[in-house]
Amino acid sequence: MTHRLPRSFFEKPTLNVAQELLGKVMVFQNHQGIITETEAYIGIDDPACHAARGLTPRTQVMFGPAGYSYVYMIYGMYHCLNFVTEAEGFPAAVLIRGLKLLTPLQTHLNGPGKLCRHLGITKAENGIDLITDETFYLRDPKTPPPSFISTPRIGIKVGVEKPWRFVVV
DNA sequence: ACCCCGATCGTA
DNA sequence: ACGATCGGGGTT
């Protein structure tokens, strides 16, 4: 009944994964929510991707196999949650920017910092294998894929010309 | 040891 | 429009 997304779902071109993640259910501990907004960060030639500055302790997980979490701290206050994509050795990930919680209130967590703060996601959640972890994974609700638009990515100073942000409409 | 900067967010 | 706040990573 879980329909957990397999590694093959993540081990694909990042733009495809970013779009196909829309409408999927993210499960983290006791939380569940529908993904409503994503951004793609693709390889060393994408200047907005952390991996453009090479392999460092922080970006190591992005160089590893697909289907792992990549969590980093930003502005000294917030964390951002990503899922690693593509083949091992190709550093890329999808940033999760929006989540509609599957609660009676259906709270919409819009913004990567607020999303992590609400769910309690920190660097302790970096490098988790979403294919095998007990309480952190993605689920396919088997509903029709939602319609979406693409826009430039938010909050970056380089790579702004690439329309690699995807938002459910 | 030092310095700069950032895939954000709330307030003004 | 701007400040909060601090770790990562490059430089000295």
Side-chain angles (χ1 to χ4, degrees):
Chain A
M1 191 58 189
T2 68
H3 300 296
R4 180 194 286 244
L5 296 184
R7 198 170 314 281
S8 58
F9 175 90
F10 300 94
E11 199 170 14
K12 289 186 301 189
T14 307
L15 292 178
N16 293 352
V17 179
Q19 294 169 14
E20 292 169 20
L21 275 172
L22 299 174
K24 297 297 189 292
V25 175
M26 186 179 108
V27 180
F28 175 67
Q29 299 177 354
N30 56 324
H31 305 280
Q32 291 198 18
I34 303 282
I35 295 173
T36 60
E37 181 180 344
T38 61
E39 282 178 1
Y41 289 87
I42 312 177
I44 60 175
D45 294 326
D46 173 7
C49 182
H50 291 162
R53 270 83 71 192
L55 197 166
T56 67
R58 181 178 64 155
T59 62
Q60 191 170 28
V61 65
M62 259 204 291
F63 287 78
Y68 281 73
S69 61
Y70 168 46
V71 181
Y72 62 89
M73 173 171 270
I74 188 68
Y75 296 111
M77 286 180 258
Y78 301 102
H79 293 271
C80 289
L81 169 67
N82 302 252
F83 303 139
V84 175
T85 59
E86 310 259 1
E88 183 169 2
F90 187 112
V94 174
L95 171 69
I96 306 303
R97 296 188 55 91
L99 195 72
K100 192 172 75 175
L101 294 180
L102 293 175
T103 59
L105 291 179
Q106 296 192 125
T107 307
H108 195 187
L109 303 175
N110 56 325
K114 285 188 284 183
L115 189 155
C116 285
R117 192 182 55 189
H118 187 279
L119 300 180
I121 290 175
T122 69
K123 280 194 293 183
E125 280 69 43
N126 184 48
I128 292 178
D129 185 356
L130 304 162
I131 281 69
T132 61
D133 194 84
E134 295 281 334
T135 64
F136 196 6
Y137 55 95
L138 279 297
R139 187 159 63 75
D140 189 347
K142 301 290 185 183
T143 51
S147 60
F148 64 90
I149 59 167
S150 66
T151 81
R153 295 170 291 180
I154 303 295
I156 55 175
K157 294 190 169 80
V158 289
V160 289
E161 72 283 356
K162 302 181 189 305
W164 288 355
R165 171 175 176 252
F166 306 102
V167 191
V168 170
V169 289

